[in-house]
Amino acid sequence: MILKQLPAIFKPARPVLQRIEAAGFEAYFVGGCVRDTILGDHIHDIDIATSAYPSEIKAIFKRTVDTGIEHGTVMILDHGTGYETTTFRTESGYQDYRRPDSVTFVRSLAEDLKRRDFTINALALRENGEVVDLFHGLDDLKRHLIRAVGDPNERFHEDALRMMRAVRFAAKLDFVIDQPTLNGIRQNAPLLSKIAVERIRVEFEKLLLGKNPVAGLKDFVATGLYRYCPGLQGAHDVLSKLLVLNQWALENPVQVWTMLCVQLNLSGQAVTRFLKQWKNSNNLIRQVKQTLPVVAALRAHHLTALDLYRAGWERTVDANQVAKLYGWNVAVSKLRTAYKKLPIKSHQELAVDGRTLIKAGIKPGPQLGTILRWLTQAVVAGQLVNTRLALLTAAKEYKKEE
Ligand code: ATP
Ligand code: MG
């Protein structure tokens, strides 16, 4: 197969491949960028594989950066753009089910493609548009099939993360996992517990952000992979209920993790525990905790100004997107109008601050915080006008009532 016209992203990279070839080596575009080109999908980055060793690449190009030299990866800098180039390699060992014990540089493209996970990811593309397809990857692309390169059992034994990658590609592309490959996953699912949670998380997020999450989720559940994921060991029924939802349009990790907390019916400390088990960042945990109350309010058809104020606009949008999955969402225009109507959007906009209150005779201490919070809530709810005079008067009244 020859591709007549390559997407624009390849254009500036072609001269780089031509120079490697002119020096007597082979060079190809490989992996996801080839797959996505043939599918007509968006390409986010390009990977180059070559028969030249890192030292040989560095002799050809003046400006390079050793980005992963021990794996054979060198970045070539050309007209301000960096191109990651990796020497053909084979991997061996895999005694711990996750990383090869050693990588060996080789001169053969076939050897390099053989170590790749799925046939649709084992295509290579020459700079002239010629596709190299040694494992019927093109047929599988046409048939929408995720199929392991070689024996699935062996391949998942070598690297258990590939099982998560299979379900994530099924979701990302809305493809089906080939039966023997699926059997391989079912058989080896327990090996997933050998893989670092952070790496599983990356794949799980991509699954839920895919074109058709259900296409991946159903096999994530059916093969038992979920049992080896943090906090999901007993979640068969809860996860199965996701399979009947059809309004999937999650857009970012905050929405993904909020949805999971909603689905698992988590609240309070259980939210933090679950998100920490998955090694999520403190920032993400904070954002999910801001989003969850808005989802709950949408669910109860009782979204208040204070909910919007506390969450802020971005988290409100995240909440509405999660709510959409369950049919609890409202029109974004309605949300926007309500948000714009908020008398203040942050505590900085409050007409008084702690210092002003102290000057007006309120003692510093815990009560000061309580008064400020109360004033904020009253302003947000429209019960007090946001002027210095009104707020100072109200603060003094509040003190008297204490
Ligand atoms: P994406 O669009 O999500 O980046 P991708 O196919 O480019 O998809 P990467 O994780 O970037 O996926 O990996 C690049 C390529 O490296 C894959 O297409 C595949 O050929 C190979 N690869 C990546 N991870 C593995 C693995 N665990 N086992 C075997 N091959 C892998
Ligand atoms: Mg990639």
Side-chain angles (χ1 to χ4, degrees), residues 39-58:
L39 287 173
D41 284 355
H42 169 76
I43 301 161
H44 50 86
D45 53 12
I46 57 178
D47 290 312
I48 299 167
T50 177
S51 61
Y53 292 167
S55 57
E56 290 163 338
I57 288 291
K58 286 160 76 164

Side-chain angles (χ1 to χ4, degrees), residues 162-179:
R162 289 174 186 153
M163 299 186 285
M164 278 306 290
R165 287 175 61 85
V167 290
R168 91 101 143 146
F169 281 115
K172 179 192 154 109
L173 305 170
D174 195 6
F175 274 25
V176 173
I177 302 178
D178 175 57
Q179 197 59 47

Side-chain angles (χ1 to χ4, degrees), residues 36-102:
D36 293 340
T37 296
I38 295 164
L39 287 173
D41 284 355
H42 169 76
I43 301 161
H44 50 86
D45 53 12
I46 57 178
D47 290 312
I48 299 167
T50 177
S51 61
Y53 292 167
S55 57
E56 290 163 338
I57 288 291
K58 286 160 76 164
I60 302 170
F61 296 92
K62 245 197 245 127
R63 299 180 59 215
T64 61
V65 185
D66 293 357
T67 45
I69 194 111
E70 66 283 10
H71 311 111
T73 306
V74 173
M75 184 187 278
I76 298 169
L77 296 172
D78 185 66
H79 294 91
T81 308
Y83 299 96
E84 293 248 297
T85 311
T86 306
T87 301
F88 295 156
R89 59 180 204 222
T90 59
E91 296 169 348
S92 55
Y94 299 106
Q95 294 195 8
D96 56 0
Y97 312 104
R98 47 200 163 116
R99 296 216 192 264
D101 297 343
S102 67

Side-chain angles (χ1 to χ4, degrees), residues 2-8 10-11 14 37-38 43 125 127-129:
I2 306 248
L3 302 177
K4 289 215 182 68
Q5 197 166 6
L6 298 184
F10 290 105
K11 191 162 179 242
R14 289 183 59 198
T37 296
I38 295 164
I43 301 161
L125 173 65
E127 63 78 28
N128 67 4

